[in-house]
Amino acid sequence: MIVRHTIFQNSLMTALLDGIYDGEMTIGELLGKGNFGIGTFDALDGEMIILDGVCYQLRGDGTATIADLDQGTPFAVATNFVPRIKVEAPQGMLRSELSAFVDEIQPSANYMYAVRISGRFRSVTTRTVVKQSKPYPPMAEAVGGDKELHFTDVEGIIGGFRTPVFEKGISVPGCHVHFIDADRTSGGHVLDYVVDDATIELCPGTDLELRLPLTQEFGQANLAPEDLDHQLHTTEVKN
C-alpha cells in the first residue's frame, strides 16, 4: 500500500535545457526539503547528489566535495528517503534495465520513486557538466564536451528518481541517477553501470511540491521545445 509522501523539485528540466542555470534557491534551503536527492549547481558547476542529509558536488574531473550551504541550485529534486521497498539487484543489471526492473517491483508506474542502489558495481560510467560562462548556452551544447569517467570494481551508491512519463519536461522521465563512491570522493551523472552485488531501495512519492524561479530569465524561457525528446536524450543519456 502506497502512503502519502512528498517529493520536492526546484524549477523545471525544460528550464535547465533552455540555459536557465542561475538558481535563487540555496543548498541550505534545499536540504530543508529532503535528505536525499540529485540536481546541479549555479552555472552548471557540477552534478549534485544528496545522501543522508549531506549535499555533494561532483565536478568535471570526477572529484566529489561537500557543497557549501550558501551555494545556489537552478534545478534539484529532493525528498526525505523512506525505503518502503527493498530488493537485491540482479547481478549484471545495466542502467538501461533499471526502469523495467523498478516497474516490476513497484506497485504502480503512475507514481514517482526515489531510487537508491547501494553496493558493488563491476563498472560505472559517468559524465559531469562543467561550469558555464554567460551568456549561457542551451544544455545540449553545454554537455557536448563532457569527459566520460570509468570506474571499475567500485563500491558506492547510485541515487536518483524514477519519474512517470507524464512528467516529461517537468523532470526527466524514466530513471535519472547520479553516482558517488563509498569514500565520497568521486562520482558523476550515470551513463551506464553493471551491478555486481547491490541492494535497490525505493521510496514512493505521491505528492509533488514544485518551486518555480521568480526570475526574468525563467519568465522568458522556452519551456515547450519541439525537440524535447532529442534534448533529453542528448543531455541525460548521450549514446
Side-chain angles (χ1 to χ4, degrees), residues 116-136:
R116 184 166 63 191
I117 311 174
S118 309
R120 178 169 290 278
F121 302 88
R122 296 175 193 170
S123 64
V124 180
T125 301
T126 68
R127 65 101 174 121
T128 300
V129 290
V130 296
K131 188 174 183 178
Q132 302 294 306
S133 300
K134 292 184 177 182
Y136 294 137

Side-chain angles (χ1 to χ4, degrees), residues 120-225:
R120 178 169 290 278
F121 302 88
R122 296 175 193 170
S123 64
V124 180
T125 301
T126 68
R127 65 101 174 121
T128 300
V129 290
V130 296
K131 188 174 183 178
Q132 302 294 306
S133 300
K134 292 184 177 182
Y136 294 137
M139 193 175 179
E141 296 178 17
V143 302
D146 289 353
K147 180 175 68 174
E148 291 187 8
L149 296 174
H150 301 275
F151 302 84
T152 57
D153 191 25
V154 61
E155 290 188 7
I157 294 178
I158 289 175
F161 293 86
R162 170 71 166 114
T163 303
V165 173
F166 64 75
E167 275 195 57
K168 182 171 65 176
I170 296 175
S171 193
V172 180
C175 286
H176 178 197
V177 291
H178 293 173
F179 169 75
I180 192 167
D181 67 356
D183 293 333
R184 307 291 194 263
T185 58
S186 58
H189 171 94
V190 175
L191 297 178
D192 204 359
Y193 61 82
V194 180
V195 167
D196 186 10
D197 183 15
T199 300
I200 298 177
E201 297 171 297
L202 300 181
C203 172
T206 60
D207 297 13
L208 177 64
E209 180 184 350
L210 183 59
R211 179 186 193 270
L212 300 180
L214 295 174
T215 63
Q216 181 179 0
E217 290 79 10
F218 180 85
Q220 297 174 347
N222 176 15
L223 302 180

